[in-house]
Amino acid sequence: RNSQHLSAKRSAFVCAFLLAAITVDGFQSFRAPLASSSIRSARATQLSSRPRVRGGTQSIGTIKMVVSPRVESEEPSESIVEGPFEGEFGTWFVYKHDAAEVLTYRASLLVAALSVASGAALASFPSLLSTPPPPAWSFDVCAGLFLASFGVSLSTIHIYMKPLHDMLKVLWTSGVVGALAVIAADPSHSLVLSTVQHPVQLLGSGWVFVALTGLFFKEFACFQRWEASALFALVPIITGGHFLGLLDSGAEGAMLDALALVFSFFAVRKFSQPLKADIGDKTVFEFLAQREAEAEAEAAAQQN
């Protein structure tokens, strides 16, 4: 009876959460056409008042950037997938290798989401179906798939700020190393079981969830989608609540179910976006790369 009561509480929490999310999504969908038209109008005014650069050198503060008439124009035209697009420093295109990278990013996010959903489903089976608990290794398989696929996501994501991108990679690497240390040190050699029973183990593997929170923050900052903001809140609440012992098993299970559902919805919905959305302005990436190269060259010249 107690397990059925916990299952009912989890189901009620998840349903209420999803109902609120759908309501927010509907409001944003209603508001989106008005907002997008205002943005297009403002952007058109900005472009009409800005000098058009089709070649030569453009100055940004004290930094000069050589701007070509077409970004990556040396690529064969048959490799173009989308474009042309007007960037901050010129025109750019989406090529086949760009599309492959974006699709890899989205597919790896989907695998990570399904791994979390599979783990949540395995945890729910005993109370929902009155079955014995699944073996510990089944949870570790889900965890391994999540760690690997999330690592692919971080290697293919496009972020303008290279230090932030590098920090997310370092956090993921630290979490993976910590997870391996937990598996080696724990008598059961089970990452998930050991972390559930001993929340302090999150000091080893929990850095992965810090990186995951950073990815959701980036997604919300770029696209303002409710599912990204919900995930940005859910991940630290679940991991921090478990680490500090603030959540009972019912609340923790309900939040884990909500995380699995929203993460899966988020990953599937990524495929509805245009390819250029996950690429960003390629001319800005070129500008930042050139600025970094100039800074390195200047530092090398000063040393000599």
Side-chain angles (χ1 to χ4, degrees):
R1 182 178 301 175
N2 187 38
S3 64
Q4 291 177 351
H5 180 64
L6 289 177
S7 299
K9 287 176 61 178
R10 291 173 66 169
S11 301
F13 177 87
V14 173
C15 291
F17 181 87
L18 292 178
L19 180 60
I22 292 171
T23 302
V24 173
D25 189 41
F27 174 74
Q28 289 184 342
S29 299
F30 173 77
R31 191 180 59 176
L34 297 177
S36 61
S37 63
S38 300
I39 293 172
R40 284 195 298 268
S41 176
R43 182 62 175 163
T45 302
Q46 180 186 14
L47 290 175
S48 63
S49 61
R50 191 180 69 184
R52 308 299 290 177
V53 178
R54 295 299 180 187
T57 303
Q58 181 173 351
S59 297
I60 306 294
T62 59
I63 301 173
K64 292 184 177 181
M65 177 181 179
V66 178
V67 183
S68 59
R70 287 188 179 274
V71 176
E72 299 181 323
S73 59
E74 69 276 4
E75 297 237 7
S77 58
E78 60 269 15
S79 67
I80 295 175
V81 178
E82 291 181 358
F85 302 109
E86 184 63 34
E88 192 68 27
F89 305 107
T91 305
W92 62 278
F93 298 86
V94 176
Y95 294 100
K96 289 182 178 179
H97 63 85
D98 298 317
E101 193 170 53
V102 170
L103 293 177
T104 300
Y105 169 66
R106 295 176 180 178
S108 60
L109 278 178
L110 181 59
V111 174
L114 294 178
S115 300
V116 174
S118 298
L122 288 173
S124 301
F125 283 163
S127 59
L128 293 177
L129 305 178
S130 299
T131 58
W137 61 262
S138 62
F139 293 101
D140 290 334
V141 169
C142 295
L145 287 174
F146 165 75
L147 291 174
S149 55
F150 180 47
V152 174
S153 300
L154 289 180
S155 68
T156 52
I157 192 175
H158 288 73
I159 300 178
Y160 290 129
M161 298 174 62
K162 188 174 183 295
L164 176 59
H165 193 181
D166 292 340
M167 183 184 69
L168 294 179
K169 292 179 180 178
V170 170
L171 288 170
W172 176 85
T173 303
S174 301
V176 171
V177 172
L180 294 175
V182 169
I183 294 173
D186 189 77
S188 66
H189 301 296
S190 172
L191 172 63
V192 177
L193 180 62
S194 174
T195 305
V196 170
Q197 295 175 344
H198 309 286
V200 71
Q201 304 285 26
L202 281 172
L203 289 175
S205 60
W207 304 108
V208 170
F209 300 109
V210 180
L212 184 64
T213 304
L215 183 144
F216 292 142
F217 174 79
K218 177 266 177 189
E219 286 288 336
F220 176 73
C222 291
F223 307 116
Q224 289 79 48
R225 290 190 165 180
W226 70 264
E227 60 267 33
S229 62
L231 292 167
F232 174 70
L234 279 171
V235 172
I237 289 174
I238 295 173
T239 54
H242 180 69
F243 178 73
L244 298 173
L246 300 177
L247 301 175
D248 59 35
S249 58
E252 194 171 285
M255 289 186 179
L256 180 60
D257 292 341
L259 173 66
L261 289 172
V262 179
F263 195 0
S264 300
F265 177 76
F266 163 82
V268 171
R269 200 180 182 200
K270 288 294 295 179
F271 288 90
S272 66
Q273 294 181 278
L275 294 173
K276 69 171 185 174
D278 281 325
I279 296 175
D281 187 342
K282 290 174 69 175
T283 66
V284 172
F285 283 107
E286 284 201 346
F287 165 70
L288 294 175
Q290 181 171 333
R291 185 173 65 174
E292 183 179 0
E294 290 176 354
E296 292 176 354
E298 183 178 352
Q302 289 178 353
Q303 290 179 354
N304 296 332

